[in-house]
Amino acid sequence: MPAAVRPPLTRRRAETRQRLLDAALVVFAHEGFGRSTVEQVCEQAGFTRGAFYSNFSSLDELFLAMWEQRSAQLLADLQETVADEAVDGIRTVRQAVEHLLPAVPVDDEWYRITAEFTAHALRNPSLRKVMAAREKAITDTITPVLERSLKGTGRRVTNRSALGQALIAVHDGTTVQCLIEPDDETVQKRRLDLMVHVVLAYTKEIDR
Amino acid sequence: MPAAVRPPLTRRRAETRQRLLDAALVVFAHEGFGRSTVEQVCEQAGFTRGAFYSNFSSLDELFLAMWEQRSAQLLADLQETVADEAVDGIRTVRQAVEHLLPAVPVDDEWYRITAEFTAHALRNPSLRKVMAAREKAITDTITPVLERSLKGTGRRVTNRSALGQALIAVHDGTTVQCLIEPDDETVQKRRLDLMVHVVLAYTKEIDR
DNA sequence: TGTATCCGATACGGAAATGTATCCGACCGT
DNA sequence: ACGGTCGGATACATTTCCGTATCGGATACA
């Protein structure tokens, strides 16, 4: 039934869909989700509303689709960026964090989207589940990577999911601070320090 | 000049203003800022648009006024709640955190407002300054309180502003997690744990 | 009690956004 | 190349929201 209700998704269709999704990011980031209109998104994408309604049934649907696509992409990028060789040279926790942190870019636009999506999700139980699932996905992606990075440091993680949760919280919380005061580099330094402290707190030396 | 442009603010005026401000919180939290309309706010407050335009010139202005009022109130509440006698009985960092944390309620509605305000502020340099100032105010309020609470624990803060910044980040980051999974009490436990770790990281034992 | 002012209500014009119904060009398979 | 279908454009009806201009009741003050 669900497959029957949606159109066959031809090549052409997929392209306009994607252009709309890309336009959505730009417009939502610039105007805010609630302030955005169907027309603005269409204009940004170079279409008229006809194209929109032929592909999505509401701005909400577009928003969700866009968010899921970009989140997934972000995770994929992270995994790839971090899977490089440099991991072998890591000897300290600080190095590990320094290696990991820049892999998640502090992106102004994306942060706005995320903030509004979160607020939106809090009003909608099914969206809350989506967010919770994503958080788990992030944890599952990050912790293995981190554990690999920690190999050369002589420490091991004591509580995987607690560490994952803590890192996400710290990451999100400090991201705002960095964006609000982009010129203050002590904010950035402290962000790094805090991450190091957290990793230290949730790992311990391997005894041999 | 600025005093001349605004009406004399009589008793009556102040009351309707306040009712509008209160209504704004409800409506914005429920609908999202961008989706809210002047009429919705007025209806919630029991007025018509006439009252609104006689007191504010735009939804933006109302939003900002409401946010500033509530933030200030929140800080005042915090200061009061925490200034009680119980501080003297505190002997461990965990106790200190347990005492401090519940003073900042995890409020669904307020979080939504904050998230959207933050996103909004990132688009507007002058609003960014407002947020930065508020962050400083929070730090300035919290750290003295925390230091007082730590008296009985035999530890002292090594870097005030870094600790303040870290606590805010952790607070904000974990608040989302708590709201997204309100039934999962391990999230809440870990929140506390994380706070304790952070306080430990930014304090050290007093040597005598 | 009378009167002047204040302030929220009402009424109106107009702009903007929505969703649908229809059209027409492009791309598909044969 | 040709007929059919697909998908975006166009046109339109409708709703919603906004901001202003004006009205009238309430309130303050003599």
Side-chain angles (χ1 to χ4, degrees):
Chain A
M1 172 70 87
V5 78
R6 76 183 60 189
L9 204 67
T10 100
R11 170 177 209 82
R12 191 187 179 195
R13 204 174 187 75
E15 269 174 18
T16 64
R17 232 185 113 82
Q18 189 56 49
R19 273 170 62 190
L20 284 169
L21 287 166
D22 293 345
L25 176 76
V26 176
V27 174
F28 291 163
H30 193 260
E31 300 285 324
F33 171 53
R35 305 268 232 214
S36 305
T37 71
V38 175
E39 271 185 355
Q40 282 174 313
V41 173
C42 293
E43 190 189 13
Q44 172 71 27
F47 290 114
T48 64
R49 287 201 324 268
F52 176 87
Y53 285 107
S54 157
N55 281 283
F56 300 93
S57 63
S58 68
L59 269 190
D60 263 70
E61 191 184 312
L62 174 62
F63 190 31
L64 176 58
M66 181 271 276
W67 187 82
E68 286 190 318
Q69 190 182 65
R70 305 301 270 228
S71 317
Q73 187 60 47
L74 225 64
L75 267 189
D77 286 356
L78 173 67
Q79 217 152 14
E80 188 178 351
T81 308
V82 146
D84 67 3
E85 345 61 45
V87 180
D88 299 334
I90 293 173
R91 288 287 168 273
T92 69
V93 168
R94 177 165 292 268
Q95 284 172 350
V97 172
E98 275 170 352
H99 179 248
L100 205 54
L101 199 49
V104 187
V106 177
D107 179 355
D108 202 342
E109 288 194 333
W110 181 245
Y111 180 82
R112 288 179 212 156
I113 302 280
T114 305
E116 292 197 334
F117 186 78
T118 308
H120 195 51
L122 286 177
R123 284 179 214 113
N124 185 325
S126 73
L127 283 187
R128 276 217 298 249
K129 283 185 190 154
V130 172
M131 285 226 65
R134 182 182 169 245
E135 174 142 340
K136 190 174 176 334
I138 297 179
T139 308
D140 292 348
T141 305
I142 285 206
T143 41
V145 166
L146 184 61
E147 287 192 304
R148 238 189 101 205
S149 306
L150 288 176
K151 275 231 172 114
T153 68
R155 300 183 73 86
R156 67 173 186 79
V157 176
T158 53
N159 184 339
R160 269 195 200 85
S161 70
L163 173 58
Q165 189 179 310
L167 284 180
I168 293 177
V170 168
H171 174 270
D172 292 354
T174 54
T175 298
V176 200
Q177 294 173 335
C178 291
L179 289 173
I180 296 258
E181 285 173 300
D183 306 322
D184 186 350
E185 73 266 10
T186 73
V187 175
Q188 320 232 10
K189 276 208 208 96
R190 284 175 179 172
R191 175 174 145 104
L192 220 152
D193 290 345
L194 180 53
M195 289 255 184
V196 172
H197 282 308
V198 168
V199 173
L200 285 174
Y202 289 89
T203 57
K204 68 170 185 183
E205 267 189 87
I206 299 173
D207 37 53
R208 354 191 151 226
Chain B
M1 173 69 89
V5 77
R6 73 184 60 188
L9 203 69
T10 104
R11 171 177 208 80
R12 191 186 179 196
R13 205 175 186 74
E15 269 174 18
T16 63
R17 231 185 114 83
Q18 189 55 47
R19 273 171 63 190
L20 284 168
L21 287 165
D22 293 345
L25 176 76
V26 177
V27 174
F28 290 160
H30 194 259
E31 299 286 324
F33 172 52
R35 305 270 231 210
S36 304
T37 71
V38 175
E39 273 186 353
Q40 282 173 315
V41 173
C42 293
E43 190 189 13
Q44 172 72 28
F47 289 114
T48 65
R49 281 197 327 244
F52 176 87
Y53 284 107
S54 156
N55 282 282
F56 301 93
S57 64
S58 68
L59 270 190
D60 264 71
E61 190 184 313
L62 173 63
F63 188 36
L64 177 58
M66 181 272 276
W67 187 81
E68 287 191 318
Q69 189 182 65
R70 303 303 269 227
S71 312
Q73 187 59 49
L74 226 64
L75 267 189
D77 286 356
L78 174 66
Q79 217 152 14
E80 188 178 353
T81 307
V82 148
D84 66 3
E85 345 62 42
V87 180
D88 299 333
I90 293 174
R91 289 285 168 273
T92 68
V93 168
R94 175 164 296 267
Q95 284 171 350
V97 173
E98 275 170 352
H99 179 247
L100 207 54
L101 198 50
V104 188
V106 178
D107 180 354
D108 202 339
E109 289 194 332
W110 182 246
Y111 181 82
R112 288 179 211 158
I113 303 281
T114 305
E116 292 197 334
F117 186 77
T118 308
H120 194 52
L122 286 177
R123 283 178 214 113
N124 185 326
S126 73
L127 283 187
R128 272 216 301 249
K129 283 184 191 154
V130 172
M131 285 225 66
R134 182 181 170 247
E135 175 143 340
K136 189 173 176 336
I138 298 179
T139 309
D140 291 349
T141 305
I142 285 205
T143 40
V145 166
L146 184 60
E147 286 192 305
R148 237 189 103 205
S149 305
L150 288 176
K151 276 230 172 116
T153 68
R155 299 182 74 85
R156 66 175 188 79
V157 176
T158 54
N159 184 337
R160 270 196 200 84
S161 71
L163 173 57
Q165 190 178 312
L167 284 179
I168 292 177
V170 168
H171 175 269
D172 292 354
T174 53
T175 299
V176 198
Q177 294 172 334
C178 290
L179 289 172
I180 295 260
E181 286 174 300
D183 306 323
D184 187 349
E185 74 267 7
T186 74
V187 175
Q188 321 233 9
K189 276 209 207 95
R190 285 175 178 171
R191 173 173 147 105
L192 220 151
D193 289 345
L194 179 53
M195 289 256 182
V196 172
H197 283 307
V198 169
V199 173
L200 285 174
Y202 289 88
T203 57
K204 70 172 185 182
E205 265 188 89
I206 300 173
D207 38 54
R208 359 192 151 222

